[in-house]
Amino acid sequence: MIKRIRIQIMDLINQIKEKARKLQKRIVLAEGTELRTLKATEIIIRENLAQIILLGNPDTINSIALANGINIVGADIKDPESDVRREHYAKLMVFIRKSKGLTYQQAIDSLNNPLVFGPVMIKAGDADGEIAGAINSTGDVLRPALQYIKTSPGISVVSGVFFMIFKNKALGDNGLLVLADCAVMPDPDEKQLAEIAIATAKTAKTIANIEPRIAMLSFSTKGSAQHPLANKVINATRIVQELAPELCIDGELQLDAALVDEIGQLKAPGSKVAGKANILVFPGLESANIGYKLVQRLAGAEAIGPILQGMAAPINDLSRGCSVNDIVNMVAITATQAI
Ligand code: ACO
C-alpha cells in the first residue's frame, strides 16, 4: 500500500517537474547559506528544473558549498547587502508602501533581509518566484511577500493548499484530494472563503491537471443545521457561483456527504459534487490545519504543501523540518505556478 502511494506521488511530482523544466523560471532561494537549500540547488541545476538565484554573501555561500562538496555552479548568487539594484529596489518599496509611511532609509535597511530582498526582486521583474522557510517562520516569510508582491488581480486573500495522496484511489481524483486553506487565513469571512475556493480550483488545475469538484465543508448539509457558521459557507458557495459560474461547486456539505457517494446522494440528492469531491474547502484555518494533519497522521495520507495561492507571484513557505527533496519539489511547484 505504502509503495502504491509512493508511486502516485512520484507520478504527480514527475508531471510537475516536467512542466517546470519546460518553463525555466527564475526562482529565488532566500536562505542561500542554508545547507539543505544548497544541496537542493545542486539537484535542481542537475535536473534542469529552474534557474536558481541564491541570496546571501557569495563568499559565505561558496565556502559552505565547497566545505560540503556541493556543486552550485550555474546558480546566480545575489548579495542583498551589496547588490547594485538596492537603490532602485528601495525606491520601488517606498512607492508601494508610501501610504504606510515607509521611508527610503527604512527601505534600504530592510533590503539587507533576504526575506524582503526576494519579494522586491520579484516585484521589480528580476525573478519569477521565491521559496524560504527552512530556517524562518511562516509569518516572517509571508509578511514581506504580502506587503510587496500582494495578491493577484481580483483576489484579496492569500491562502495555502495541501495535495493529499491517499491509498484509497476511490477518493477524489485517483486518490488525490486538494485541501484548503490549511496554512494562512485564520478566520475567513464568506467573501474570503469564496476567493479561497476559486484560487484552489485554479491551483488544482494548474499543478495537477484536475477538473475541480469543490465541496464547501461545514457541520451541516443542505440546511440540516441552522447556524451562522453554516450560513457563512452557504453564502460563500453562492458567491463562487456568481463569480465563477463555470466551476463545479456545492455547499454546505458535511465531510461524509462530500466524499461518500451513498451518503452524498442521501443528504444532497442530485448534487454533482456530493460523494465525488476532489477539492475540500474548510470553513476556517483551525478545521483545515487540524484536518490535513489528522488524515496525514491517522490515515497515512501523504501531504504535499503548503502551496500558497492568491499572490501575484508565487512565494512558497517550507516547513523547518523540510528535507532536501521537499525543497527540490517545492521549486518545481513554484515554477509551475509562475506562469
Ligand atoms: N492575504 C492577503 N493579504 C494579507 C493576508 C492574507 N491572507 N494576511 C495579511 N495580509 C496583508 C495585510 O493586509 C497587510 O497588508 P498591509 O501591510 O499592506 O496593510 C500585510 O499582509 C501584513 O498583515 P498583518 O496582519 O500585519 O500581518 P501578520 O503579521 O498578522 O501576518 C500572517 C499575516 C503571517 C499570514 C498571519 O495571518 C498568520 O500568521 N497566519 C497563520 C499562519 C500559520 O501559522 N499557519 C499555520 C502553520 S503553516 C502549516 O501548518 C502548514
Side-chain angles (χ1 to χ4, degrees), residues 97 100 139 142-143 146 150 156-158 162 183-185 289:
R97 295 194 66 77
K100 303 281 171 183
L142 280 188
R143 216 166 288 110
L146 293 170
K150 300 193 180 283
S156 68
V157 59
V158 168
F162 274 90
V184 186
M185 196 73 203
N289 190 272

Side-chain angles (χ1 to χ4, degrees), residues 41-62:
T41 299
E42 176 174 350
I43 299 170
I44 294 156
I45 292 169
R46 193 172 60 230
E47 294 191 12
N48 195 26
L49 297 176
Q51 299 171 41
I52 292 298
I53 301 164
L54 290 169
L55 297 187
N57 179 284
D59 293 339
T60 312
I61 292 176
N62 283 320

Side-chain angles (χ1 to χ4, degrees), residues 3 102 115 137 242 266 309:
K3 198 171 163 203
L102 184 79
L115 297 177
S137 71
E242 282 164 14
L266 189 72
Q309 57 184 15

Side-chain angles (χ1 to χ4, degrees), residues 303-325:
I304 302 176
I307 300 166
L308 297 182
Q309 57 184 15
M311 212 121 38
I315 304 280
N316 276 307
D317 174 41
L318 296 162
S319 144
R320 271 173 278 186
C322 68
S323 66
V324 171
N325 222 19

Side-chain angles (χ1 to χ4, degrees), residues 38-254:
L38 291 176
K39 287 181 180 170
T41 299
E42 176 174 350
I43 299 170
I44 294 156
I45 292 169
R46 193 172 60 230
E47 294 191 12
N48 195 26
L49 297 176
Q51 299 171 41
I52 292 298
I53 301 164
L54 290 169
L55 297 187
N57 179 284
D59 293 339
T60 312
I61 292 176
N62 283 320
S63 66
I64 295 171
L66 194 64
N68 289 281
I70 303 166
N71 181 359
I72 53 165
V73 173
D76 186 9
I77 303 177
K78 298 288 181 216
D79 187 351
E81 293 187 22
S82 62
D83 193 274
V84 290
R85 294 163 298 187
R86 280 170 59 86
E87 279 182 21
H88 168 56
Y89 286 177
K91 284 180 193 155
L92 178 64
M93 290 166 73
V94 171
F95 176 75
I96 294 168
R97 295 194 66 77
K98 55 179 180 271
S99 65
K100 303 281 171 183
L102 184 79
T103 66
Y104 179 79
Q105 194 52 48
Q106 285 169 333
I108 282 283
D109 292 344
S110 64
L111 277 170
N112 292 339
N113 179 355
L115 297 177
V116 174
F117 193 89
V120 178
M121 213 179 158
I122 295 169
K123 188 70 187 176
D126 295 326
D128 301 307
E130 182 203 59
I131 292 168
I135 47 172
N136 285 288
S137 71
T138 301
D140 288 347
V141 173
L142 280 188
R143 216 166 288 110
L146 293 170
Q147 288 171 342
Y148 294 105
I149 295 200
K150 300 193 180 283
T151 49
S152 308
I155 297 276
S156 68
V157 59
V158 168
S159 53
V161 305
F162 274 90
F163 283 37
M164 304 299 299
I165 298 167
F166 296 83
K167 52 185 174 242
N168 178 1
K169 289 194 161 203
L171 286 171
D173 258 37
N174 211 17
L176 171 66
L177 278 171
V178 185
L179 273 50
D181 160 28
C182 308
V184 186
M185 196 73 203
D187 187 18
D189 63 23
E190 56 197 40
K191 174 147 191 308
Q192 290 167 330
L193 199 55
E195 285 189 16
I196 290 168
I198 293 170
T200 306
K202 187 174 168 208
T203 302
K205 267 189 182 175
T206 311
I207 294 178
N209 287 331
I210 69 173
E211 206 42 57
R213 295 182 299 277
I214 310 164
M216 301 294 278
L217 296 182
S218 172
F219 53 83
S220 165
T221 301
K222 301 289 175 185
S224 64
Q226 306 289 321
H227 193 277
L229 288 174
N231 291 342
K232 174 175 98 166
V233 177
I234 295 169
N235 292 338
T237 309
R238 185 182 38 77
I239 295 170
V240 174
Q241 285 161 340
E242 282 164 14
L243 293 177
E246 73 285 0
L247 286 179
C248 183
I249 185 166
D250 204 2
E252 88 290 18
L253 293 172
Q254 285 160 288

